[in-house]
Amino acid sequence: MNEGLFYKRVRTLGDKLGKSLNQIEKELGYSRNALSNYKTKTMPSAIRLLELADYFEVNPKYLLGMNEICSKNTAEKNFTELLFENLDKKQKLEICRISQIWMLQELMNNQAQ
């Protein structure tokens, strides 16, 4: 049976914590063998993905194999970029305008001090 990447990463993260999949399932209130069901490349629901990412303190994209960096802090740093990428051109220009106004105010405040 070929294990899916999601399952491998969950199992590896559990091993790093010194916990079995059954222990993790118990702590999260999942049914027995709930995590083993992902062994055959099935994917978790969005809620379960977020619960597991929060439990392991990793980026959800890492669990899905979309990112090789597992640090949750990295995900938080890149959130602004992700948000910006999903704006249309008009929204991006508005953000730039607001940012320029803010920067000018900061410069003026720093010079006044």
Side-chain angles (χ1 to χ4, degrees):
M1 184 179 297
N2 196 8
E3 292 179 354
L5 184 58
F6 177 82
Y7 176 79
K8 286 180 184 178
R9 290 193 170 174
V10 167
R11 196 183 69 218
T12 299
L13 290 167
D15 290 345
K16 285 182 181 179
L17 293 176
K19 296 184 180 188
S20 68
L21 292 182
N22 286 338
Q23 285 177 291
I24 295 166
E25 290 163 344
K26 199 175 216 178
E27 289 178 20
L28 291 172
Y30 298 165
S31 61
R32 185 163 166 78
N33 296 322
L35 296 177
S36 295
N37 291 333
Y38 301 120
K39 199 177 228 181
T40 58
K41 296 186 179 182
T42 58
M43 297 305 281
S45 68
I47 291 172
R48 183 153 293 171
L49 172 65
L50 293 174
E51 288 171 346
L52 288 165
D54 190 50
Y55 179 84
F56 291 117
E57 297 182 357
V58 298
N59 179 344
K61 286 185 174 185
Y62 171 76
L63 289 176
L64 293 174
M66 298 169 67
N67 193 338
E68 291 304 311
I69 301 169
C70 68
S71 170
K72 193 174 187 179
N73 293 334
T74 302
E76 291 168 0
K77 288 179 189 172
N78 293 329
F79 176 74
T80 304
E81 290 176 36
L82 179 66
L83 183 63
F84 191 78
E85 288 172 5
N86 288 298
L87 298 175
D88 63 31
K89 186 175 181 176
K90 184 178 178 182
Q91 293 168 321
K92 288 177 180 177
L93 290 171
E94 181 66 11
I95 293 288
C96 288
R97 185 186 71 74
I98 292 168
S99 296
Q100 286 176 337
I101 292 168
W102 176 80
M103 286 176 55
L104 288 171
Q105 289 173 344
E106 286 294 307
L107 285 171
M108 289 175 18
N109 288 341
N110 288 337
Q111 288 177 352
Q113 292 177 357

